[in-house]
Amino acid sequence: MKIVLIDGQGGKLGQSIAEAIVKNNICCELFAIGTNSIATSAMLKGGAMYGATGENPVVVACRDADVIIGPVGIISADSMLGEITPAMAVAIGQSRAMKLLLPVNRCSNRVIGVKKLTLSEIAAETVEELKKIIG
């Protein structure tokens, strides 16, 4: 199973998710795709197997991903302080992958009805959802 983890800014959320996936022995190939090199580095530090940075890696990785994980802003062009380009948002949105969008209520995106969680709580819930998907 190919899991594409996308994050930007400092990559702390992506790093937490990568660490939780590794800790829970989720059987997958984990690709860390950062919108900047700091985010990519953080996710690799968290245990992702592969890493790349920028718009083209997002587009390419989403083509055959089984699951895409990232903050809800990854499907909104120009979000994350402009780090998500329109091409990235389209590639993610059009991918046939299951998308696990994490409720980070920033960048003019608000997910209504979602409780405020810590990064570790978001990571734990993400892993539980991955376990359901993988079966």
Side-chain angles (χ1 to χ4, degrees), residues 39-104:
T40 303
S41 178
M43 291 184 284
L44 286 168
K45 189 179 196 180
M49 297 167 193
Y50 311 102
T53 302
E55 180 179 89
N56 200 56
V58 168
V59 172
V60 171
C62 289
R63 287 181 190 152
D64 61 351
D66 295 302
V67 179
I68 298 171
I69 302 171
V72 68
I74 65 173
I75 59 170
S76 181
D78 299 329
S79 69
M80 295 170 62
L81 299 176
E83 290 187 13
I84 300 297
T85 67
M88 289 173 167
V90 167
I92 295 162
Q94 288 182 342
S95 174
R96 292 179 182 232
M98 170 67 70
K99 293 156 199 79
L100 301 182
L101 302 173
L102 311 175
V104 179

Side-chain angles (χ1 to χ4, degrees), residues 21-52:
I21 289 171
V22 170
K23 179 182 174 184
N24 283 274
N25 297 313
I26 302 295
C27 184
C28 67
E29 287 186 295
L30 183 57
F31 290 75
I33 310 296
T35 59
N36 62 65
S37 59
I38 294 169
T40 303
S41 178
M43 291 184 284
L44 286 168
K45 189 179 196 180
M49 297 167 193
Y50 311 102

Side-chain angles (χ1 to χ4, degrees), residues 13 16-17 20 117-126:
L13 178 61
S16 294
I17 300 297
L117 302 171
T118 66
L119 287 180
S120 60
E121 291 170 330
I122 290 172
E125 285 195 22
T126 301

